[in-house]
Amino acid sequence: MAADFDKSCHALQKPKVETYCGLVFGTFAENMPTLSDYFGPEMCGNIQRLLGRDMELLERFQHGLDGNWKLYMENVRDTYHASLLHSFMTTFRLGRLSMKGAVEVSKGGLHHLTYSIRSQDNDQGQYDAKEIRASKDDYTLNSPELLESWPEFECGTTLAIQSLFPNFSIQQLSNVITLRLIVPKGPHKSELTWWVLGAREDTPEQRAIRIRQSNLVGPGGYIAMEDGAVVGWVRRGVTGADDKKSVLAMGGRDVERISESRCNELAVRGFWQGWHGLMES
Amino acid sequence: MPDNAFPPKTDAALLHRIDTLNRRYGHVIDEDQLEDWPTFFTEDARYMITTRQNHEANMPVGLILCENRGMMEDRVSALRVANLFEPHSYRHLIDPPIVTEQNETEISVQTSFACFRTVQASAPEIFCTGKYLDRIIDDGQVLRLTERIVVCDSERIDTLIVIPL
Ligand SMILES: [Fe+2]
């Protein structure tokens, strides 16, 4: 080695690493705030609720997607598509369309949380009006035990979808708890890693319920497989229209922090406003 | 002789029956006769699609997990009436079976397979290679799967998996 070669000037780039509820986050940004400041109190509350206990890994796999990573993160934040795209629940008459819930967006719009509570229908009229979407003939499941669940959380939350900017998502669907990390593989390809988790405190019955219910999520999941496909459909739909745009502005232009209605675009708007802010700075 | 060699006593007629079961199994899937797919299994059979990594680490969750025939029938009806996906078909190539264990009630079998997927007008692609780990029951007339664990070699699944492997 040359005498004047200074190894400290040629070291590997060191990320800043911080752990939160067992999750390890890294960044190359030098002036990054701490994780709890970056996420904000609302986002931290949900992470602690789901993962602030001893967890167990039940499965991990990779899922190739045929589109840009932002299309998937937009899908995660979109509250409309579930009843339109994932017709498993409505076809088999398994879910109420109206449930108590809210959308929360972190300050600046970067992160979001959508949640709902199944057993408290707050608007029977809204459900009846949508009855047409919930009644495709008379399909029933041979093995409805697929959807057996137990009330795991005191707050009653049965669905929670959270995105943490830029590329991470934590989701609770009944008793299935998953982590998803999306990594770009070029402008038109991305790859999702899924982790399905249980809690060490689970009884054998609760563990069995989680394992059975996990049929709902992942690339073969009854109410998730369409998300794998729709990323590619959107990519193909917009290819060749780079100079064109179309805008939907349900619920205005701002990014309110909390909305009791989940029928809005707060979280999507928050993502894009946050993303543009960062890309321009 | 290594442990994983063919057990010496496997009878050629039995191997042929298992091979026929596997070929018919691949046939009904590839020919879109999916309503017949659950009939290859016993009523309380277990069907699981997992990956080599998850299988070797004893992970209990599958990409698809059916704990009885009813859950397999539900997979088929959901595919027919509920789930949205681009039309596609499979082509299975299934190796001859290897009997790994045999007792009075059950036969354990391992079989390699490759599955090509063709999505609409696209070229066929290798969707999955892997092995079937089976437990088979012989009632003297019919062989039925009481467990089939589909172990995919790769931990990566492209886009979605809705048709069983
Ligand atoms: Fe979705």
Side-chain angles (χ1 to χ4, degrees), chain A residues 57-60 62-64 85 87 139 142-143 145 191 211-212 214-215 219-220 222 225-226 233 236, chain B residues 54 59-63 65 67-68 70-71 73-75 78 81-84 86 155-157 159-161:
Chain A
L57 180 63
L58 301 177
E59 189 193 29
R60 191 199 91 121
Q62 304 288 123
H63 184 183
L85 185 67
S87 61
Y139 296 111
N142 285 325
S143 294
E145 69 265 29
E191 192 140 311
I211 291 168
R212 204 176 300 125
S214 63
N215 273 297
Y222 278 125
M225 67 170 78
E226 287 92 357
W233 298 341
R236 278 184 267 162
Chain B
N54 284 306
M59 296 288 172
V61 166
L63 289 156
L65 174 65
E67 294 175 335
N68 53 53
M71 290 176 77
E73 289 158 359
D74 290 340
R75 276 280 168 186
V81 303
N83 288 122
L84 296 178
E86 240 173 310
E155 60 172 335
R156 180 181 185 277
I157 291 288
T159 308
L160 60 75
I161 178 162

Side-chain angles (χ1 to χ4, degrees), chain A residues 75 81-82 85-86 223-224 227:
Chain A
N75 175 284
H81 80 274
L85 185 67
H86 306 302
I223 48 180
D227 292 326

Side-chain angles (χ1 to χ4, degrees), chain A residues 84-102:
Chain A
L84 298 166
L85 185 67
H86 306 302
S87 61
F88 176 77
M89 299 299 272
T90 48
T91 301
F92 293 97
R93 294 170 155 276
L94 300 171
R96 292 267 168 156
L97 290 167
S98 73
M99 299 186 285
K100 183 177 180 286

Side-chain angles (χ1 to χ4, degrees), chain A residues 85-133:
Chain A
L85 185 67
H86 306 302
S87 61
F88 176 77
M89 299 299 272
T90 48
T91 301
F92 293 97
R93 294 170 155 276
L94 300 171
R96 292 267 168 156
L97 290 167
S98 73
M99 299 186 285
K100 183 177 180 286
V103 177
E104 295 184 8
V105 179
S106 71
K107 194 159 167 272
L110 289 180
H111 324 294
H112 104 287
L113 170 66
T114 309
Y115 67 89
S116 61
I117 297 172
R118 190 188 289 129
S119 57
Q120 298 183 11
D121 282 305
N122 61 344
D123 191 349
Q124 187 60 33
Q126 191 184 345
Y127 179 65
D128 291 340
K130 288 182 183 166
E131 184 76 6
I132 192 159
R133 276 210 56 77

